[in-house]
């Protein structure tokens, strides 16, 4: 399994940029360890006892917990630091990308004999839900274009996640690797798809593992953002992976019925509103060939979590420009899949342990 960061498209920080980025990474780690630990103590020792005294019961949902926590100075400090650190992370990534953007644009076009393909659609209408906010606080969001043949959104996204990772020397493909090796290869060892589609693939980090896992398959990745896709295509080429990227809306693609043996997504559902999620499931059902498998992977749903952890997760919506995060985690995705056409017997929900120790959730629909 290739996990080392070897691709040539990743921007390279100079000395001062690296110092700033290492500081941001260290501060993020401090927030997620020491401050988060102390924040839970504030809840357990102050907020929860006070709520129980006033209401003669424990909090029954994340909203009641937030109401109490928002009165605590430590929580205000934690939330402020978390948002500021997120903005600092992206700003430090932008500085590095902007300094070498012309070089990166040329590098992305330097393909002697391309392995895969890139198909863009300038006429595609980008949904307002993707342009109204800068998702994850990433400046300009995913869909911005600022120069000819722009790849900046993809480079900023890839490099920003690189800064955020505790293990920066990773290809950040843990979700794709987890779905393949901890579910598909174990539950369906004889499954050999010939065509695979990754919906909402961004730069293709979790798309590429499918190239290695199923070498005889044609692998496709779709996303709305042209600069993201240009970068993702160049990234895949630099790693020697054949992927066919195209600019499409996963709610309604141009692929024929029953085109794919495997339809997947990774941390995509929480980026879109509930009506769009329903459309994505219907499109997944339409695209799935007989004998095929659909897998949508995301972080755990709220019903998988204790109330305090759900309150912490909710910060993504309240404080990190993730407007659809919480609505998605409240969904009954089995019901959504059944509405899309899948039978109850063909559906599986399960949690997977990732290589980084975290758990992720998958919903699986089969056409077998």
């Amino acid at each position: 399994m290739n996990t080392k960061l070897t691709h040539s498209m990743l921007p390279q920080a100079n000395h001062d940029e690296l110092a700033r980025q290492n500081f941001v990474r260290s501060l993020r780690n401090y927030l997620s360890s020491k401050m988060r630990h102390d924040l839970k103590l504030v809840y357990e020792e102050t907020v929860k006892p006070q709520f129980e005294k006033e209401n003669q019961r424990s909090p029954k949902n994340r909203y009641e917990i937030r109401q109490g926590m928002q009165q605590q100075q430590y929580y205000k400090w934690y939330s402020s630091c978390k948002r500021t650190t997120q903005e600092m992370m992206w700003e430090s990534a932008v500085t590095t990308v902007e300094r070498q953007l012309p070089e990166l644009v040329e590098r992305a076009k330097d393909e002697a004999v391309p392995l895969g393909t890139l198909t863009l659609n300038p006429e595609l209408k980008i949904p307002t839900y993707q342009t109204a906010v800068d998702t994850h606080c990433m400046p300009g969001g995913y869909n911005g274009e600022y120069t000819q043949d722009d790849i900046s959104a993809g480079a900023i996204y890839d490099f920003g996640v690189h800064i955020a990772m505790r293990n920066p020397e990773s290809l950040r493909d843990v979700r794709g690797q987890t779905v393949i090796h901890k579910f598909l290869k174990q539950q369906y060892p004889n499954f050999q798809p010939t065509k695979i589609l990754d919906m909402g693939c961004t730069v293709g980090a979790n798309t590429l593992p499918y190239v290695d896992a199923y070498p005889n398959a044609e692998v496709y990745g779709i996303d709305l953002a042209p600069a993201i896709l240009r970068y993702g295509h160049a990234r895949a080429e630099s790693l020697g992976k054949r992927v066919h990227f195209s600019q499409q809306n996963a709610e309604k693609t141009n692929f024929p019925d029953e085109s794919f043996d495997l339809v997947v997504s990774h941390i995509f559902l929480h980026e879109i509103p509930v009506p769009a999620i329903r459309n994505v499931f219907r499109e997944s059902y339409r695209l799935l060939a007989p004998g095929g498998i659909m897998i949508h992977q995301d972080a755990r749903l709220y019903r998988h979590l204790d109330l305090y952890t759900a309150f912490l997760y909710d910060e993504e919506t309240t404080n990190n420009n993730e407007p659809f995060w919480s609505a998605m985690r409240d969904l009954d995705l089995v019901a959504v899949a059944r509405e899309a056409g899948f039978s109850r017997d063909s559906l599986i929900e399960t949690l997977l342990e990732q290589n980084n120790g975290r758990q992720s959730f998958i919903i699986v629909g089969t056409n077998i």
Side-chain angles (χ1 to χ4, degrees):
M1 186 185 302
N2 180 14
T3 59
K4 287 297 179 183
L5 185 62
T6 57
H7 74 84
S8 61
M9 286 303 302
L10 191 76
Q12 298 300 307
N14 61 28
H15 176 276
D16 289 356
E17 292 163 355
L18 183 61
R20 181 184 183 191
Q21 289 154 12
N22 285 338
F23 170 78
V24 171
R25 183 182 292 119
S26 296
L27 182 55
R28 285 176 60 91
N29 291 342
Y30 179 79
L31 289 172
S32 64
S33 55
K34 179 66 166 70
M35 285 196 76
R36 188 171 289 184
H37 172 268
D38 292 347
L39 188 67
K40 189 171 185 180
L41 293 180
V42 170
Y43 172 67
E44 292 177 339
E45 297 177 1
T46 303
V47 174
K48 188 170 183 284
Q50 182 175 327
F51 184 95
E52 290 173 337
K53 180 179 180 181
E54 294 175 354
N55 297 275
Q56 304 303 304
R57 61 174 177 84
S58 298
K60 63 182 179 182
N61 55 48
R62 63 186 187 271
Y63 305 110
E64 291 185 340
I65 294 176
R66 185 191 304 141
Q67 186 176 9
M69 293 294 285
Q70 286 177 331
Q71 309 306 312
Q72 300 299 312
Q73 194 62 39
Y74 195 82
Y75 174 70
K76 295 177 183 179
W77 175 235
Y78 167 82
S79 293
S80 177
C81 288
K82 194 169 185 293
R83 174 64 180 244
T84 301
T85 305
Q86 182 79 353
E87 294 173 351
M88 289 170 61
M89 177 191 76
W90 291 122
E91 288 170 5
S92 66
V94 167
T95 299
T96 299
V97 171
E98 285 185 341
R99 178 175 53 80
Q100 51 198 303
L101 183 58
E103 175 190 345
L104 290 169
V105 169
E106 290 305 311
R107 196 181 303 166
K109 294 189 289 186
D110 185 19
E111 301 172 7
V113 181
L115 295 169
T117 59
L118 172 64
T119 305
L120 300 180
N121 179 9
E123 304 303 317
L124 181 68
K125 179 176 174 55
I126 308 298
T128 303
Y129 63 72
Q130 282 291 294
T131 59
V133 299
D134 290 350
T135 305
H136 297 295
C137 303
M138 181 174 138
Y142 293 172
N143 295 281
E145 284 192 274
Y146 307 102
T147 187
Q148 184 72 25
D149 301 318
D150 196 11
I151 52 85
S152 59
I156 292 167
Y157 174 84
D158 199 25
F159 194 60
V161 177
H162 166 77
I163 295 169
M165 294 289 287
R166 293 187 180 185
N167 175 21
E169 298 304 314
S170 163
L171 285 175
R172 297 174 295 287
D173 58 3
V174 65
R175 296 174 181 88
Q177 296 285 5
T178 298
V179 168
I180 293 166
H181 297 290
K182 295 199 174 182
F183 184 78
L184 278 170
K185 293 290 188 179
Q186 294 185 20
Q187 299 299 320
Y188 301 94
N190 298 320
F191 180 60
Q192 292 297 322
T194 59
K195 290 184 72 174
I196 300 170
L197 174 64
D198 186 8
M199 292 177 155
C201 64
T202 58
V203 299
N206 290 296
T207 315
L208 301 193
Y210 293 90
V211 177
D212 293 331
Y214 301 105
N216 295 322
E218 294 180 24
V219 179
Y220 292 75
I222 63 172
D223 204 278
L224 290 166
I228 289 274
L229 289 166
R230 290 190 195 100
Y231 180 89
H233 171 62
R235 182 183 188 276
E237 293 291 313
S238 72
L239 286 162
K241 310 297 183 187
R242 185 192 304 274
V243 178
H244 303 291
F245 291 96
S246 62
Q247 185 183 6
Q248 298 197 54
N249 188 334
E251 295 184 63
K252 185 177 177 59
T253 72
N254 63 15
F255 299 115
D257 293 354
E258 301 182 353
S259 291
F260 294 96
D261 305 301
L262 179 61
V263 175
V264 299
S265 76
H266 310 87
I267 58 168
F268 167 56
L269 296 182
H270 76 262
E271 305 283 15
I272 58 179
V274 170
I277 292 174
R278 298 186 189 281
N279 290 338
V280 165
F281 273 67
R282 280 192 286 266
E283 186 68 353
S284 300
Y285 183 78
R286 182 185 74 80
L287 294 174
L288 210 58
I293 300 173
M294 170 196 79
I295 302 178
H296 292 293
Q297 178 271 346
D298 215 296
R300 293 172 294 173
L301 305 181
Y302 283 137
R303 59 184 171 79
H304 300 136
L305 309 173
D306 63 83
L307 291 182
Y308 179 78
T309 305
F311 150 74
L312 282 181
Y313 261 48
D314 214 30
E315 275 255 315
E316 295 300 316
T317 290
T318 61
N319 200 36
N320 197 35
N321 280 24
E322 287 278 17
F324 311 117
W325 174 278
S326 292
M328 177 262 162
R329 297 196 193 292
D330 278 329
L331 274 182
D332 180 347
L333 289 173
V334 167
V336 173
R338 292 190 67 183
E339 291 170 6
F342 290 93
S343 68
R344 182 63 186 88
D345 292 342
S346 73
L347 294 167
I348 302 169
E349 286 185 301
T350 191
L351 295 174
L352 300 178
E353 187 79 19
Q354 298 179 168
N355 292 336
N356 59 10
R358 298 177 180 175
Q359 284 188 319
S360 64
F361 164 79
I362 62 171
I363 179 166
V364 183
T366 60
N367 191 13
I368 297 174

